[in-house]
Amino acid sequence: MENHFESDSSVGESQDEVVIALMGNTGTGKSSFIKLLTGNDSVRVGDSLDSETDDVVNIAFTDPVSGRKVVLVDTPGFDDSRDGRTDTEILRKISEFMINEYDQHRKLNGAIFFHRMSDPRFGGQSRRSLRIFRELCGAATYKNVVVLTTFWDKVNETEGETREEELMSNSNFFKDLVDGGARFMRHDQKNSGARQVLDHIFTLVPTTVQIQNEIRVEGKSLEETAAGSVHREEINRMIAMHQKEMQDLTSEIASVKQNNMTLKRELEDERKDLEKKILRWEDEKVDLKKGLDSEGELRKRLEEEIKMQQEKFEKAQQELQTELEKSKKDRDEAVLIDARRKAREAERAKTQAEGTLERRMSFKEMGHEIAKAMPLVPNFIAKPWLGTIGRGLDLVDRRKRNK
């Protein structure tokens, strides 16, 4: 059989690939699901609740049935049991992946949230992981979510079905996801079950998730996002809880008699552990406020881009104003030139009219005009005399025209 499995540290830019994010607490069956779909035995599968995922890992393979390239994005659980790994760090890594996908103009085809049916109760850690998951996705993306329940072989079928119904209908669990279009599916640890999940996601329209829009579109910091706010509330709650425990423990230590040194040492050790926990949560609070590693650089780039676009806009406005003024000046000059042309034409017309008028004036009339212009000769002498001469010239001119 051809090996369709490819391990890749980055996802390509082609949206023809089907990108599926896998999320949930540690030990819920994510690695087993990946192994079944890819057919690759090198995928580590944990036998305990210790995390087998160190980082956000992209696993690309070609689906042998559809021929489509699929990228499974395996993420660490928010209840990572290893020392040194914090929920803030996990949130940052998942957010960085989401933002990187957005920057590459890629959308998410589906998000799978894994939940163990063998858990007797929906504990506080599970609630917190689910809350962060919901806020990462956002209600508009619930239709692209699959809630995949696992470890059905560990529960009685009737008990499992009752628990499943409660998970789907109780507002404290997955009801809002189901109401928003999320699909509840069962994973039976068989390839056919994993195949059904993949076929369902193939039918979904790729989408962007809430944290991408919050950070890239709305310009929020990681702490200001809905997922970041949920995590900040949990940090503050844990700090307050440990501080209360510290106060109670300090009072208890003070009340222990001096001769009971064994109990006193035990209480002191417990107080030191509490101090470490408080310090760790305080560090998480600082890290959350610091946000994504790329945020500062991104904000700087955005500010530079805005400044550059503003300068381009102002330059374009100046050029437009200059062009308008030049156009106005050209129009004014054109109007002046046209007015001068019309004035010259009018002057020529007037001159021609006057010339025509002069040419049409009879010699008799010209004689009378000349007589008026002779102040020293009386009109009763000059006018008849010059008029008679004019009549004679008129007769001569008329004969010439008639010929």
Side-chain angles (χ1 to χ4, degrees):
M1 178 179 176
E2 181 183 354
N3 184 5
H4 296 281
F5 178 82
E6 304 170 33
S7 180
D8 193 356
S9 59
S10 63
V11 179
E13 295 187 2
S14 172
Q15 191 56 53
D16 290 338
E17 295 176 346
V18 178
V19 182
I20 306 171
L22 313 181
M23 300 183 67
N25 289 341
T26 57
T28 51
K30 287 178 289 183
S31 296
S32 298
F33 179 81
I34 294 170
K35 184 177 179 180
L36 283 171
L37 277 184
T38 62
N40 188 275
D41 293 332
S42 67
V43 177
R44 293 177 299 170
V45 179
D47 296 325
S48 68
L49 296 184
D50 290 334
S51 174
E52 291 291 342
T53 304
D54 297 335
D55 208 337
V56 175
V57 179
N58 302 321
I59 303 166
F61 69 99
T62 301
D63 175 38
V65 178
S66 66
R68 301 180 70 177
K69 188 173 182 180
V70 180
V71 181
L72 301 177
V73 184
D74 193 12
T75 65
F78 285 101
D79 60 340
D80 195 327
S81 57
R82 288 166 299 163
D83 291 337
R85 174 60 61 88
T86 66
D87 287 351
T88 300
E89 183 180 357
I90 294 170
L91 177 61
R92 288 175 61 188
K93 287 182 178 295
I94 294 174
S95 299
E96 288 279 9
F97 162 75
M98 296 293 188
I99 296 306
N100 184 58
E101 289 290 281
Y102 184 90
D103 290 345
Q104 294 183 38
H105 308 288
R106 291 171 50 83
K107 295 183 178 182
L108 201 66
N109 294 75
I112 304 176
F113 187 86
F114 289 74
H115 177 71
R116 286 186 300 264
M117 293 303 294
S118 56
D119 290 347
R121 57 188 295 271
F122 203 84
Q125 182 62 54
S126 296
R127 291 173 187 269
R128 189 162 61 87
S129 296
L130 177 58
R131 284 186 67 197
I132 294 177
F133 173 78
R134 284 197 305 241
E135 300 304 342
L136 279 168
C137 295
T141 314
Y142 287 172
K143 60 185 179 298
N144 288 72
V145 169
V146 171
V147 178
L148 191 60
T149 52
T150 59
F151 291 91
W152 279 87
D153 57 328
K154 303 295 184 183
V155 296
N156 175 275
E157 185 175 353
T158 302
E159 179 187 358
E161 290 177 352
T162 301
R163 191 174 296 171
E164 181 185 48
E165 178 61 31
E166 182 183 8
L167 291 173
M168 295 174 62
S169 60
N170 194 317
S171 59
N172 291 323
F173 306 139
F174 295 96
K175 185 179 185 302
D176 57 341
L177 284 167
V178 174
D179 291 345
R183 179 82 172 269
F184 244 75
M185 302 184 75
R186 299 179 184 181
H187 183 38
D188 55 5
Q189 303 298 321
K190 296 179 182 179
N191 181 267
S192 58
R195 175 82 243 168
Q196 289 178 355
V197 176
L198 188 60
D199 288 341
H200 169 67
I201 292 178
F202 280 167
T203 67
L204 303 177
V205 178
T207 185
T208 55
V209 296
Q210 179 167 282
I211 197 166
Q212 292 172 327
N213 292 322
E214 287 178 315
I215 292 178
R216 280 296 186 259
V217 179
E218 300 174 22
K220 293 182 178 180
S221 67
L222 179 60
E223 185 184 26
E224 292 170 337
T225 64
S229 297
V230 168
H231 186 45
R232 185 182 64 246
E233 290 174 8
E234 179 63 14
I235 290 174
N236 291 334
R237 188 185 72 81
M238 294 300 294
I239 291 174
M241 182 184 72
H242 290 322
Q243 287 177 340
K244 178 64 168 59
E245 291 175 357
M246 179 72 77
Q247 292 174 0
D248 295 342
L249 191 58
T250 301
S251 299
E252 188 176 353
I253 291 173
S255 66
V256 173
K257 294 181 179 180
Q258 189 65 31
N259 58 357
N260 195 346
M261 296 303 297
T262 302
L263 178 58
K264 210 172 185 68
R265 279 195 298 269
E266 290 176 355
L267 293 175
E268 284 290 351
D269 290 341
E270 190 175 343
R271 185 173 69 174
K272 288 178 182 178
D273 288 339
L274 276 174
E275 288 175 348
K276 290 179 181 179
K277 289 179 181 179
I278 292 174
L279 181 60
R280 174 175 173 171
W281 285 109
E282 289 286 359
D283 288 342
E284 283 208 48
K285 193 172 183 178
V286 172
D287 289 342
L288 181 62
K289 186 173 288 292
K290 185 170 66 174
L292 304 180
D293 294 336
S294 61
E295 276 185 14
E297 182 181 349
L298 172 67
R299 288 177 183 273
K300 183 178 179 181
R301 288 203 310 268
L302 288 175
E303 289 173 359
E304 291 175 352
E305 178 68 19
I306 291 172
K307 182 179 179 181
M308 183 174 67
Q309 293 299 331
Q310 181 66 26
E311 290 175 352
K312 286 183 179 180
F313 175 76
E314 291 176 354
K315 182 179 179 181
Q317 287 287 90
Q318 291 176 354
E319 291 176 351
L320 178 61
Q321 184 64 31
T322 301
E323 187 66 26
L324 289 174
E325 291 176 355
K326 182 177 182 297
S327 298
K328 184 177 182 301
K329 183 178 179 181
D330 292 343
R331 287 197 302 272
D332 291 345
E333 289 180 354
V335 170
L336 181 60
I337 291 172
D338 187 60
R340 289 173 177 172
R341 178 182 60 78
K342 290 180 178 179
R344 289 195 299 270
E345 290 176 353
E347 184 65 27
R348 284 197 298 269
K350 179 183 177 184
T351 302
Q352 290 174 357
E354 290 176 348
T356 300
L357 179 64
E358 290 178 358
R359 285 195 302 273
R360 289 182 180 179
M361 185 180 294
S362 66
F363 289 107
K364 177 182 177 181
E365 291 171 335
M366 291 175 61
H368 290 167
E369 291 296 324
I370 293 172
K372 290 178 182 179
M374 298 172 63
L376 299 178
V377 180
N379 275 337
F380 69 90
I381 297 175
K383 193 171 182 180
W385 178 61
L386 289 174
T388 301
I389 295 174
R391 279 198 302 274
L393 291 175
D394 285 336
L395 289 173
V396 173
D397 182 64
R398 190 178 300 115
R399 288 174 181 171
K400 287 183 179 180
R401 289 199 301 272
N402 291 335
K403 290 181 179 182

